[in-house]
């Protein structure tokens, strides 16, 4: 490994935002999962939670771009368990979801510890998951189709989160704890 | 057709932005094309230009979500021809492209007549296309991977364009000319 490469690993880890996470709730198409993992890496997200029942979806495959090397993927068997874990760890869970209580995605404060929940390609966020979430956010639609592709919706919302955290200076300080920083650096540098 | 449906068609057309366009330059994966068409519709974009050489890509198929019914797709044989047409019609062509002259995508003024050019999945924007463009814009990357999925990059940039145009009140007035408005309404209402 060149010194430049090692420095890039360090720089990336110094920007990671452990208290901004994504939770995919039964999203299952490989190209959507791949795009979401890649977007997470590029937006500084270290942890991706996936509700991914083994019996329904089979084994979670490696993504083409190799970006899953840079994002820790946490599989969960049920939405309930995944959402409860986020809350127990002190993060608000916000669903990207149309509902009566949904707010414009730009009106949410993403500098708070937050997990963004994304719904399934066809059926969206289930009623049970929606009920458990602290907030619902929507991206306004100007056209005839009713929704964005799920990886597109993720990217639009995360881009706003990234903008807010940038403005708040949250990419300028180490936000991983020292132990996670060192463990991850070691794993990345010695695959 | 119900009166509500007819009103939705009219409302959508009254928000269309004929002077904000997308040009895909040899983008060819069907799921990326599908996501881009769908995003265009949702962002109020009426015209999508596609450099899509017949001999290389075969026939352009219908997208799954049916969103290509709401966006006029213009095929082009070469990048040169497609870019020149945009300029002749008075739109700046900006490439989503890493280069020495690239600016942050949030620093561009999208209220100007603009066509956003997106590069191929693997090879990106060619040198020839890049040279022909008025500006290059980039979305900053915080992680290890070098680029976003192309439909994700399109969505992030168009979301910023939509935000700027919304703020400028450009969705509050009819921006299609009367003839295009009427022709399109007729086509949509009588498929
Ligand atoms: C293709 S959509 C699901 C559509 C589904 N028919 C529904 O009504 O929810 C997949 C996921 O993308 C996200 N999504 C898509 N468009 C969105 C929008 N405009 N605002 C917020 N989230 C959106 C949501 O998380 C949604 O569950
Ligand atoms: C997967 S990328 C192409 C990557 C290619 N290896 C390159 O170096 O350009 C496909 C297209 O998505 C767009 N894109 C992806 N990430 C981008 C970013 N961070 N900024 C601007 N455009 C981006 C560009 O139009 C690019 O040509």
């Amino acid at each position: 490994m060149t010194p430049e490469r090692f420095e890039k690993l360090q720089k990336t880890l110094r920007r990671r935002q452990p208290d901004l996470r994504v939770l995919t709730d039964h999203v299952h198409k490989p190209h959507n999962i791949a795009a979401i993992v890649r977007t997470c890496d590029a937006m500084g997200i270290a942890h991706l939670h996936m509700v991914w029942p083994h019996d329904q979806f089979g084994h979670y495959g490696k993504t083409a771009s190799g970006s899953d090397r840079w994002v820790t993927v946490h599989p969960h068997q049920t939405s309930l368990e995944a959402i409860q874990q986020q809350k127990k760890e002190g993060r608000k869970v916000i669903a990207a979801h149309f509902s009566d209580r949904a707010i414009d995605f730009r009106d949410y404060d993403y500098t708070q510890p937050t997990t963004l929940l994304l719904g399934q390609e066809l059926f969206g966020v289930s009623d049970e998951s929606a009920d458990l979430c602290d907030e619902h956010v929507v991206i306004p639609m100007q056209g005839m189709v009713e929704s964005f592709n799920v990886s597109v919706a993720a990217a639009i919302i995360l881009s706003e989160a990234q903008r807010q955290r940038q403005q708040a200076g949250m990419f300028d300080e180490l936000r991983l704890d020292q132990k996670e920083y060192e463990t991850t650096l070691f794993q990345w540098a010695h695959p």
Side-chain angles (χ1 to χ4, degrees), chain A residues 45 54 58 71 84 97 105 136 141 170:
Chain A
I45 290 172
H54 295 303
V71 177
Q84 280 177 338
H97 182 55
F105 77 106
H136 299 168
M141 309 286 295
M170 293 170 83

Side-chain angles (χ1 to χ4, degrees), chain A residues 117-164:
Chain A
L117 182 144
L118 299 160
Q120 207 253 11
E121 285 87 349
L122 205 54
F123 303 111
V125 176
S126 70
D127 291 344
E128 302 81 62
S129 289
D131 282 349
L132 291 166
C133 289
D134 297 293
E135 293 264 13
H136 299 168
V137 296
V138 283
I139 312 159
M141 309 286 295
Q142 317 284 337
M144 292 300 296
V145 295
E146 312 266 309
S147 65
F148 292 97
N149 165 282
V150 60
S151 70
V152 161
I156 293 172
I157 297 170
L158 292 176
S159 175
E160 171 63 14
Q162 192 274 330
R163 190 191 66 77
Q164 291 187 13

